[in-house]
């Protein structure tokens, strides 16, 4: 869904939740994906697709975005390309990735859009309290002085290396090259992770996952009585795996339930039922002294009223308009006063067949 926003779709884009069949020569039979409820809900706004975990909406979102474009967006979150196949099933969570990889990916949403390399050891000290090792400080910023200096230094060093390779010579320790090396030494205690999604994309994506908890498949987490939680449930075919990926700004937690040798967990053992309660029990303790955090709306976001049925900008006579977030430049079309709430755009109608 984050990739869909980058591809030009918006939170109110209508996607048809209807039966779909794919014929693939690599499969023994046609692929007929369906929702967990085995029901179909017709034209559905993008936001509602993720909030209520509609599989058929997710598949059509990736189909409209494009498999390669959607896959490349997923890879920004640190996944190994070998684990992400080039097919529509990745929209339903088919890649086999570890809980650590999932936690790292969701940390991008938690921290505002940056990809951080996970580490296990912060500090090592001896019996005298002397620090023998300390992990680099992590600094999240876009245009801070240290990050800009480090990027320029990296470019300079890369240019010097490329020049040396082209000349087929070993770089000489000339006086003018010592300053960058000295500067590198002073910057080496700080790591500046790269931004992989914009702050605006992060904000809207997070609002989707906050709604998952407020009124969607993750609403059991309401028992924590917090407004700063976001997450997504997941359930594999035949309930062989159940998981919940969720976070508060400072803590990302992934819970997975399944057997070492995959087998059915039992009827109704979905992510929201099997994995989410574990997540809740842990976060109840982990967040005990954490103040609630309200993320400010970043630049590049527009708030507008829409018609909840058509997804278009609300007309003056719309009686059930709701507020929605949009990226600048990606507002939906405006609804005329004569537009009927049951009308569909052509591209949505095409999805019926």
């Amino acid at each position: 869904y984050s990739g869909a926003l980058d591809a030009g779709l918006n939170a109110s884009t209508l996607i048809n939740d209807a039966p779909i069949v794919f014929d693939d020569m690599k499969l023994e039979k046609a692929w007929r994906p369906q929702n967990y409820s085995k029901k179909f809900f017709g034209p559905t706004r993008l936001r509602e697709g993720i909030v209520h975990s509609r599989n058929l909406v997710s598949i059509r979102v990736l189909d409209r975005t494009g498999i390669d474009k959607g896959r490349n967006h997923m890879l920004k979150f640190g996944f190994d390309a070998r684990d992400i196949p080039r097919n529509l099933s990745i929209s339903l969570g088919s890649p086999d990735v570890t809980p650590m990889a999932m936690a790292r990916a969701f940390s991008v949403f938690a921290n505002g859009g940056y990809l951080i390399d996970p580490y296990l050891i912060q500090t090592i000290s001896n019996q005298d309290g002397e620090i023998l090792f300390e992990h680099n400080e992590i600094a999240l910023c876009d245009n801070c002085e240290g990050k800009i200096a480090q990027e320029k230094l990296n470019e300079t060093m890369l240019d010097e290396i490329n020049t040396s390779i082209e000349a087929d010579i070993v770089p000489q320790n000339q006086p003018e090259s010592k300053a960058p090396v000295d500067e590198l030494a002073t910057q080496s205690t700080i790591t500046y992770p790269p931004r992989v999604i914009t702050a605006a994309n992060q904000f809207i994506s997070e609002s989707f996952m906050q709604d998952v908890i407020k009124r969607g498949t993750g609403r059991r987490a309401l028992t924590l009585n917090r407004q700063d939680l976001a997450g997504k449930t997941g359930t594999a075919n035949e309930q062989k795996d159940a998981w919940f990926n969720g976070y508060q700004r400072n803590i990302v937690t992934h819970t997975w339930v399944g057997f070492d040798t995959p087998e059915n967990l039992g009827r109704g053992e979905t992510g929201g039922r099997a994995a989410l309660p574990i997540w809740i029990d842990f976060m109840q303790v982990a967040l005990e002294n954490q103040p609630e955090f309200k993320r400010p709306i970043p630049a590049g976001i527009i708030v507008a009223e829409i018609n909840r049925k058509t997804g278009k900008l609300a007309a003056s006579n719309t009686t059930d308009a709701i507020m929605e977030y949009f990226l600048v430049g990606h507002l939906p079309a405006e609804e005329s006063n004569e537009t009927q709430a049951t009308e569909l755009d052509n591209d949505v109608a095409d999805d019926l067949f």
Side-chain angles (χ1 to χ4, degrees):
Y1 285 83
S2 169
L5 295 176
D6 272 4
L9 278 66
N10 60 58
S12 69
T13 297
L14 287 184
I15 306 294
N16 199 33
D17 184 352
I20 190 170
V21 178
F22 292 98
D23 289 314
D24 190 333
M25 297 296 294
K26 297 179 182 179
L27 301 177
E28 295 181 0
K29 57 183 180 180
W31 182 39
R32 292 179 171 84
Q34 55 188 340
N35 294 323
Y36 176 77
S37 66
K38 294 181 172 57
K39 297 178 180 179
F40 310 104
F41 298 88
T44 302
R45 284 181 286 114
L46 190 75
R47 175 181 293 274
E48 301 308 300
I50 185 173
V51 168
H52 300 291
S53 200
R54 303 275 170 76
N55 290 341
L56 297 173
V57 173
S58 297
I59 292 170
R60 282 194 166 94
V61 166
L62 180 58
D63 194 35
R64 286 182 61 173
T65 301
I67 293 176
D68 284 340
K69 185 177 291 186
R71 180 176 179 272
N72 289 340
H73 189 83
M74 291 176 65
L75 295 178
K76 293 179 181 180
F77 292 77
F79 296 115
D80 189 325
R82 294 170 294 183
D83 296 330
I84 313 296
R86 282 188 171 87
N87 59 56
L88 289 172
S89 72
I90 61 177
S91 64
L92 304 183
S94 65
D96 290 324
V97 298
T98 65
M100 176 67 82
M102 290 301 295
R104 183 193 188 195
F106 271 75
S107 73
V108 172
F109 294 114
N111 67 41
Y114 302 88
L115 182 64
I116 298 177
D117 290 330
Y119 59 93
L120 300 177
I121 299 175
Q122 178 68 44
T123 305
I124 299 175
S125 58
N126 60 21
Q127 61 270 32
D128 298 322
E130 179 184 359
I131 296 179
L132 305 179
F133 166 82
E134 187 169 18
H135 192 277
N136 281 1
E137 176 187 350
I138 304 295
L140 303 181
C141 61
D142 292 323
N143 299 309
C144 55
E145 183 177 345
K147 184 174 186 178
I148 294 174
Q150 189 176 73
E151 290 175 345
K152 289 182 178 179
L153 175 60
N154 291 340
E155 291 176 1
T156 299
M157 296 182 68
L158 183 60
D159 289 341
E160 291 180 357
I161 292 172
N162 290 336
T163 300
S164 300
I165 292 175
E166 292 173 1
D168 195 23
I169 60 173
V170 177
Q172 300 297 315
N173 292 326
Q174 299 175 352
E176 58 269 24
S177 66
K178 290 182 180 179
V181 174
D182 291 340
E183 185 178 355
L184 178 62
T186 63
Q187 296 292 332
S188 61
T189 58
I190 302 178
T191 298
Y192 299 94
R195 175 178 284 283
V196 293
I197 58 174
T198 66
N201 182 298
Q202 180 279 333
F203 184 88
I204 296 179
S205 298
E206 180 173 83
S207 75
F208 292 165
M209 292 187 284
Q210 287 177 330
D211 276 355
V212 168
I213 289 178
K214 292 176 181 177
R215 56 187 180 84
T217 55
R219 56 188 175 276
R220 285 178 182 234
L222 290 174
T223 187
L224 293 174
N225 195 29
R226 298 183 66 102
Q227 300 298 313
D228 59 346
L229 304 176
K232 181 67 182 73
T233 56
T235 307
N237 288 339
E238 301 176 1
Q239 287 80 60
K240 292 182 179 179
D241 293 282
W243 61 89
F244 185 78
N245 299 286
Y247 65 89
Q248 186 265 358
R249 180 202 186 189
N250 296 317
I251 301 176
V252 178
T253 303
H254 169 87
T255 55
W256 169 81
V257 177
F259 293 101
D260 291 340
T261 300
E263 61 180 277
N264 194 300
L265 293 171
R267 183 178 179 182
E269 294 302 314
T270 61
R273 179 174 178 178
L276 180 54
I278 301 172
W279 186 90
I280 292 172
D281 286 348
F282 174 79
M283 295 296 268
Q284 181 81 57
V285 178
L287 296 175
E288 187 173 3
N289 297 315
Q290 290 281 344
E292 288 207 19
F293 172 73
K294 183 174 178 60
R295 198 181 300 275
I297 299 178
I301 295 284
I302 293 177
V303 182
E305 285 190 335
I306 63 167
N307 182 306
R308 67 173 66 241
K309 293 181 179 180
T310 67
K312 295 182 177 181
L313 293 179
S316 58
N317 64 343
T318 302
T319 58
D320 61 346
I322 59 174
M323 303 302 295
E324 185 55 274
Y325 297 114
F326 298 96
L327 299 178
V328 170
H330 292 278
L331 282 171
E334 187 171 0
E335 186 177 51
S336 68
N337 290 332
E338 291 77 26
T339 300
Q340 297 298 313
T342 54
E343 287 184 357
L344 300 182
D345 289 338
N346 290 332
D347 57 349
V348 177
D350 289 343
D351 277 344
L352 288 169
F353 306 99

